[in-house]
Amino acid sequence: MTFEILAAAADAAPQSSFGFLEAMEQGGIIAWSIFTVLVIMSVGSFYILFTKLFEQRKVMAQYKSVRTNFWKANSLREGATKLEKNSAWRQLVDDAVTAEDQHAKMTDKLEAHDWMHGSLARSEDTINSKLASGLPFLATVGATAPFVGLLGTVIGIYRALINIGIAGSASIDKVAGPVGEALIMTAIGLLVAVPAVFAYNWLQGRNKRIQEMLSAFSTDLLAYINSNGSVKPAVMTAPSTQQAAKAAATAPAAKK
């Protein structure tokens, strides 16, 4: 008889379901608004990550063509035709050609050199600015996403306290929803911020490498123009690179 009474009481007790959707529904429009903002941040971060990664890989791959094909040309204009249009390297060469044409109009040699150097520096800055576009968004997401999630946490805890005050007791069915919402918002905020920070630092490091290559290429262009084509970097092909590596490996043995 006792077991029958307990079973009947259990069947009559209100059944509460707990989960992500239930917690968000209890949070209402505020919880869903914060969740939507965090989703937008996350989608935007991954979009910038993949688009910038593709852009960087393209620039680095084009640099191999510059080192092997461009410097084989007899002039900058001829070398420019061997570069892909709308590429960073083609832009530098085109700007160098334009600066070279204007260089002849300079009466002071020192002023002419400064003009050439400044023109290439401006071209580098334009390319670097384009490569860095989108990275401030990643930095903003990494810095603000935890606080956006924390806002949802504060609201969830506040709602839990209100439910406790209304019910007069801290029963699990009164506080589970708001507390669950608070923990979910904290976790989502961190899940959005951490990848954004990693992506920002990684892309920044790759951009610095590209900046070094652009600066070296600009220096080579400036030397080529000022020397009327006499000074230019050695063209390293695949066989010559392998021969140089073999020579470097056998050099210590020869000394012994």
Side-chain angles (χ1 to χ4, degrees):
M1 184 66 179
T2 304
F3 290 106
E4 293 178 356
I5 294 174
L6 293 175
D11 294 336
Q15 300 294 325
S16 300
S17 58
F18 302 102
F20 174 75
L21 293 178
E22 288 75 10
M24 295 300 295
E25 288 176 359
Q26 291 186 23
I29 186 65
I30 297 178
W32 283 110
S33 299
I34 295 175
F35 177 73
T36 302
V37 171
L38 291 173
V39 169
I40 293 174
M41 285 182 171
S42 180
V43 172
S45 297
F46 280 100
Y47 173 78
I48 292 174
L49 170 61
F50 289 118
T51 54
K52 287 299 168 184
L53 182 60
F54 174 78
E55 184 179 9
Q56 290 175 344
R57 292 184 64 180
K58 185 177 180 181
V59 173
M60 291 181 176
Q62 291 170 344
Y63 185 66
K64 296 180 181 179
S65 176
V66 172
R67 298 295 300 176
T68 56
N69 297 324
F70 174 77
W71 294 112
K72 294 180 182 179
N74 297 322
S75 65
L76 293 182
R77 288 178 173 82
E78 180 183 346
T81 60
K82 298 182 179 182
L83 301 178
E84 184 177 343
K85 293 183 178 180
N86 299 323
S87 67
W89 312 104
R90 179 66 180 268
Q91 177 180 332
L92 275 174
V93 176
D94 289 342
D95 291 341
V97 170
T98 302
E100 184 181 18
D101 294 337
Q102 297 172 342
H103 175 273
K105 301 178 182 179
M106 300 290 178
T107 56
D108 190 340
K109 292 184 178 181
L110 180 60
E111 182 181 356
H113 178 271
D114 291 341
W115 169 256
M116 290 290 301
H117 186 272
S119 298
L120 291 174
R122 286 194 299 270
S123 184
E124 284 184 54
D125 292 339
T126 302
I127 297 170
N128 291 330
S129 296
K130 183 178 179 181
L131 290 172
S133 62
L135 297 188
F137 180 81
L138 291 178
T140 302
V141 170
T144 60
F147 296 102
V148 175
L150 183 60
L151 175 61
T153 301
V154 172
I155 294 175
I157 297 299
Y158 176 71
R159 289 182 56 253
L161 295 175
I162 291 178
N163 290 341
I164 293 173
I166 294 175
S169 63
S171 58
I172 188 64
D173 60 327
K174 298 297 182 182
V175 300
V179 171
E181 172 198 343
L183 297 176
I184 288 171
M185 289 302 175
T186 301
I188 294 176
L190 293 175
L191 289 175
V192 172
V194 172
V197 172
F198 275 108
Y200 175 80
N201 291 330
W202 187 39
L203 294 176
Q204 275 282 64
R206 291 171 63 88
N207 274 347
K208 289 182 180 179
R209 172 57 182 156
I210 294 176
Q211 290 174 9
E212 292 174 359
M213 293 189 295
L214 290 172
S215 179
F217 186 59
S218 294
T219 303
D220 292 337
L221 287 175
L222 185 62
Y224 181 89
I225 293 173
N226 288 338
S227 64
N228 294 325
S230 300
V231 177
K232 61 181 180 180
V235 178
M236 295 295 290
T237 60
S240 62
T241 304
Q242 295 176 357
Q243 292 175 1
K246 290 180 180 179
T250 57
K255 291 181 179 180
K256 292 180 182 179

